[in-house]
Amino acid sequence: MTPLLNSKRSCSQERKLKMSIRCVNRIAILFFGLTCVSGLAHEGPDPKACWLFDGAFVDGKSLKSQAGPNLEVLGSVPTEKVGKLNCMRLDGNESFFVAQDAWDKIRNLLPSSSITVSSWVSLDSTLENGGIVSAFQDNGDAETGWVLGYNQNVFSFALSTRGADDGDGKMTYLTGKTAIEPGKWCHVCAVYDGTTMQLWVNGQLDGESTEQSGNILYPKDARLAVGAYLDSNESFPLEGRLGQVVIYDLAAKPAWIAHDFEHQKHWVSLPAKLDSSKEFEFLIKPYLQFATKDSIKVMCELNRPAKVSVKYGETSKFTDTVVAVSPDRLLHTASLENLKPETGYYYQVIVEEEGREDNIRGELGSFQTASLPRTPFAFAVMGDTQGNPAVNGKLSQYAWALRPNFLIIPGDLVDDGPVKNQWVNEFFASMNPLMRRVPFYPVLGNHERNADFYYRYMDLPAPEYYYSFQYGNAMFFMLDSNKKVDEESEQYQWLEKQLQALEDREKAGTSDVTWKFVSYHHPSYSSDEDDYGNLWKGKSTWGDMRIRPLTKLFDRYAMDVVWNGHIHSYERTWPIINGNVSEDSGTIYMITGGGGGGLEQAGPIRPPFQNNVRRGHHFVFVAVNGSTLELKSFDLEGKLFDTVTLKKASRVVESTSLP
Ligand SMILES: [Fe+2]
Ligand SMILES: [Fe+2]
């Protein structure tokens, strides 16, 4: 093994190269030891971290390292044989590894000036952002750390450094060119020497960049993850197998990488092996998004790359077919267009797996396009479904029994937005009986943490965190109350423009909108005992004062009803205008956060705005017929506990609270 050297170089370069050669020789010996046996050879420098993925090294929920930190085992990671060695299988959903030590300790251990991350990996499926090993944060302008991973069907190496020209908190996402074959082993290696990033696949240089220079810029807080792309608001676990991962604080030379690959290259020629226990199936069964008078979207996610089409028609004898589009051949969106308004349709999703003759079919679903302004319609409202599929599943079945046209979700769909499992196995799984038949219109709660999964699974008008839609004679304005909503904010100004345009149309006699509704997560008015001032220790502000500026717009433009969540209980105000309760005009504010999250309760002091308050899981059903609106609230037993009737012409408000 002879490193390739340039013939012309300075004395200092010569010294560095000699050191490098020594290091490379020592690393080669070390790696040779690693790949031959499960223990380490100690002739060379110790790696900063080394893990062999074999059940023999698992003790309870801990994977013992060969060097460096032990890893916490998340989910189930069965061991599989690869010749005489072993590897571990990750399910792409729950299972991966995180360093057990706190970030401060991990940060001190990770290389600063140069790094080599070497891995043997076999991917069953790929993602837009996938991780083999990650220690980073990628949040808006703050991009720090590094990730060895994959992007769609090629490997990738992302890095942020402190270099003079590029210490701007931006990562370079270097992508390779070798196509990833599902189920096939690859030797994937990332190298950075202070000036050049390299990505090596199966002993060959696959990509190179000189965009970054200087020491690695690490985040203030992060987790070292193996088998996942993991930062504070994203978690993309790997689906496939891990053989080994080693991290060095040296930049490996080409000859060493070639040698390291050569030693175990027989793995590359092994036949592809996918998870035999996994059937080809829907990860997320077909569900509906964004119905208009003439269109709707059908979405689904699969556990294997596939082609998806949707057959549909006004009866189950389908008359039309549309092919879905997909960013990654896993998540699919079919846009059904040129439909008739307020018309019922039946549909079925057809999935063809690549390389297979047979296909799978989704259950027969139905939907209807949006109603015309004169036609009565109805919808359900259910917030804070988070982390409780048993409850939200039951409530959504009650809701479906009432045959709503659609569902509004005022945020906190899941308990932890970056955790894919919660979307796949909790939210979408339990809500599917409703969601394959009616579209849902969500807003972001604090628990979504603005995670990419929200934007991945929703297909809403840009920018998706706020949007509006018309259904029948009602306009709905959907806002993100995690972001700014003060008078200077983008959302406030957008809403003001929308409401003003609506008023202009009303004055001109060209509006077909009778009702105006808004939904966002944090409640403007709430009597909760501890979220807005602890009532036992001090006074409540009676709601989220950061959100309160929005109410000026509601007063000025006569918003009819506001639906909030966040507080996991039920509350309905009297009509409120200019901060005062009114008998015959104003906006009704409702908290409908009883979709599943752990219950909260009202404080002991009744605020004057309060009409009805109740602790318990629930959903709300709203029926609109011209200038009449009926609102009914149901508990977890399906029992009616609150009703409101609004008659628009005279603004007469009738309400009944039942025991
Ligand atoms: Fe919540
Ligand atoms: Fe919340």
Side-chain angles (χ1 to χ4, degrees), residues 379-383 406-410 563 592 618-622:
F379 58 97
V381 187
M382 189 196 307
F406 58 93
L407 171 69
I408 299 275
I409 306 183
W563 283 289
T592 56
H618 64 270
F619 73 99
V620 171
F621 188 78
V622 184

Side-chain angles (χ1 to χ4, degrees), residues 139-173:
N139 303 307
D141 292 337
E143 299 179 4
T144 47
W146 53 264
V147 185
L148 172 62
Y150 48 96
N151 188 317
Q152 304 293 15
N153 67 335
V154 292
F155 291 101
S156 64
F157 173 31
L159 178 72
S160 179
T161 60
R162 295 181 182 278
D165 299 328
D166 46 46
D168 54 1
K170 285 283 173 199
M171 293 180 106
T172 293
Y173 275 81

Side-chain angles (χ1 to χ4, degrees), residues 98-99 101-107 110 134-139 144-146 217-225 230-232:
V98 289
D101 296 324
W103 174 248
D104 284 350
K105 192 170 174 189
I106 297 294
R107 166 67 194 86
L110 291 174
S134 67
F136 81 114
Q137 292 289 352
D138 182 355
N139 303 307
T144 47
W146 53 264
L217 178 61
Y218 279 101
K220 289 197 177 85
D221 193 24
R223 295 195 83 175
L224 174 68
L230 179 79
D231 73 353
S232 65

Side-chain angles (χ1 to χ4, degrees), residues 389-460:
V391 166
N392 65 46
K394 195 173 174 184
L395 291 172
S396 65
Q397 286 197 11
Y398 288 143
W400 170 239
L402 297 171
R403 296 297 189 268
N405 292 71
F406 58 93
L407 171 69
I408 299 275
I409 306 183
D412 283 359
L413 287 66
V414 294
D415 200 46
D416 196 3
V419 180
K420 183 173 182 176
N421 177 47
Q422 295 192 6
W423 294 93
V424 172
N425 294 326
E426 292 184 356
F427 178 74
F428 280 109
S430 59
M431 301 286 282
N432 183 265
L434 179 62
M435 288 177 174
R436 73 167 185 268
R437 291 147 166 165
V438 305
F440 65 98
Y441 296 81
V443 296
L444 284 144
N446 52 310
H447 279 266
E448 272 67 68
R449 295 208 280 147
N450 207 32
D452 276 3
F453 287 120
Y454 181 89
Y455 300 94
R456 175 174 172 82
Y457 293 133
M458 308 306 144
D459 197 314
L460 305 166

Side-chain angles (χ1 to χ4, degrees), residues 134-270:
S134 67
F136 81 114
Q137 292 289 352
D138 182 355
N139 303 307
D141 292 337
E143 299 179 4
T144 47
W146 53 264
V147 185
L148 172 62
Y150 48 96
N151 188 317
Q152 304 293 15
N153 67 335
V154 292
F155 291 101
S156 64
F157 173 31
L159 178 72
S160 179
T161 60
R162 295 181 182 278
D165 299 328
D166 46 46
D168 54 1
K170 285 283 173 199
M171 293 180 106
T172 293
Y173 275 81
L174 169 65
T175 50
K177 54 184 188 292
T178 301
I180 296 169
E181 289 182 58
K184 294 279 282 183
W185 281 106
C186 286
H187 179 252
V188 189
C189 193
V191 179
Y192 174 65
D193 65 0
T195 59
T196 306
M197 295 166 66
Q198 291 182 329
L199 182 65
W200 294 79
V201 176
N202 294 339
Q204 300 293 317
L205 186 63
D206 211 44
E208 190 169 53
S209 169
T210 53
E211 265 182 37
Q212 302 283 337
S213 64
N215 283 356
I216 298 170
L217 178 61
Y218 279 101
K220 289 197 177 85
D221 193 24
R223 295 195 83 175
L224 174 68
V226 181
Y229 177 105
L230 179 79
D231 73 353
S232 65
N233 67 350
E234 288 166 314
S235 168
F236 298 103
L238 170 160
E239 184 189 20
R241 295 174 290 172
L242 276 178
Q244 70 176 41
V245 168
V246 193
I247 302 173
Y248 284 92
D249 61 353
L250 299 163
K253 295 291 179 190
W256 168 78
I257 294 167
H259 176 89
D260 189 51
F261 167 66
E262 283 292 323
H263 179 73
Q264 203 164 307
K265 82 172 190 185
H266 60 283
W267 277 27
V268 171
S269 51
L270 292 172

Side-chain angles (χ1 to χ4, degrees), residues 384 386 412 446-447 521 566-568:
D384 299 74
Q386 65 190 82
D412 283 359
N446 52 310
H447 279 266
H521 186 58
H566 195 54
I567 302 302
H568 299 169

Side-chain angles (χ1 to χ4, degrees), residues 204-500:
Q204 300 293 317
L205 186 63
D206 211 44
E208 190 169 53
S209 169
T210 53
E211 265 182 37
Q212 302 283 337
S213 64
N215 283 356
I216 298 170
L217 178 61
Y218 279 101
K220 289 197 177 85
D221 193 24
R223 295 195 83 175
L224 174 68
V226 181
Y229 177 105
L230 179 79
D231 73 353
S232 65
N233 67 350
E234 288 166 314
S235 168
F236 298 103
L238 170 160
E239 184 189 20
R241 295 174 290 172
L242 276 178
Q244 70 176 41
V245 168
V246 193
I247 302 173
Y248 284 92
D249 61 353
L250 299 163
K253 295 291 179 190
W256 168 78
I257 294 167
H259 176 89
D260 189 51
F261 167 66
E262 283 292 323
H263 179 73
Q264 203 164 307
K265 82 172 190 185
H266 60 283
W267 277 27
V268 171
S269 51
L270 292 172
K273 189 179 177 199
L274 304 173
D275 185 353
S276 56
S277 69
K278 263 191 184 174
E279 292 292 316
F280 178 45
E281 62 185 6
F282 288 109
L283 217 50
I284 297 178
K285 288 181 180 176
Y287 61 98
L288 300 166
Q289 286 282 281
F290 212 79
T292 70
K293 284 183 285 190
D294 62 1
S295 70
I296 199 164
K297 316 254 188 192
V298 178
M299 297 183 70
C300 64
E301 188 171 39
L302 294 149
N303 66 340
R304 300 262 183 276
K307 186 180 151 196
V308 165
S309 57
V310 176
K311 292 181 181 296
Y312 64 99
E314 289 183 53
T315 70
S316 59
K317 289 178 184 165
F318 309 122
T319 51
D320 292 279
T321 302
V322 63
V323 176
V325 295
S326 173
D328 53 12
R329 297 180 298 156
L330 297 171
L331 182 74
H332 298 264
T333 304
S335 298
L336 283 55
E337 292 168 353
N338 301 316
L339 306 173
K340 294 180 194 168
E342 55 184 28
T343 299
Y345 286 87
Y346 295 86
Y347 74 96
Q348 188 169 38
V349 170
I350 311 293
V351 182
E352 297 166 59
E353 189 181 14
E354 287 167 10
R356 281 174 56 153
E357 296 275 311
D358 53 340
N359 52 38
I360 59 172
R361 290 164 181 267
E363 291 171 80
L364 183 66
S366 60
F367 64 83
Q368 56 198 109
T369 44
S371 305
L372 294 168
R374 289 173 184 272
T375 306
F377 67 96
F379 58 97
V381 187
M382 189 196 307
D384 299 74
T385 46
Q386 65 190 82
N388 200 336
V391 166
N392 65 46
K394 195 173 174 184
L395 291 172
S396 65
Q397 286 197 11
Y398 288 143
W400 170 239
L402 297 171
R403 296 297 189 268
N405 292 71
F406 58 93
L407 171 69
I408 299 275
I409 306 183
D412 283 359
L413 287 66
V414 294
D415 200 46
D416 196 3
V419 180
K420 183 173 182 176
N421 177 47
Q422 295 192 6
W423 294 93
V424 172
N425 294 326
E426 292 184 356
F427 178 74
F428 280 109
S430 59
M431 301 286 282
N432 183 265
L434 179 62
M435 288 177 174
R436 73 167 185 268
R437 291 147 166 165
V438 305
F440 65 98
Y441 296 81
V443 296
L444 284 144
N446 52 310
H447 279 266
E448 272 67 68
R449 295 208 280 147
N450 207 32
D452 276 3
F453 287 120
Y454 181 89
Y455 300 94
R456 175 174 172 82
Y457 293 133
M458 308 306 144
D459 197 314
L460 305 166
E464 293 196 290
Y465 58 85
Y466 67 82
Y467 61 96
S468 64
F469 65 98
Q470 181 170 352
Y471 208 104
N473 64 349
M475 273 303 293
F476 294 79
F477 302 97
M478 314 297 280
L479 302 172
D480 179 0
S481 60
N482 300 284
K483 293 190 167 63
K484 286 181 178 175
V485 290
D486 61 83
E487 290 177 47
E488 305 303 315
S489 68
E490 180 189 3
Q491 292 195 92
Y492 186 101
Q493 293 179 6
W494 170 80
L495 182 60
E496 188 172 27
K497 259 190 199 163
Q498 294 267 315
L499 291 171
Q500 183 60 48

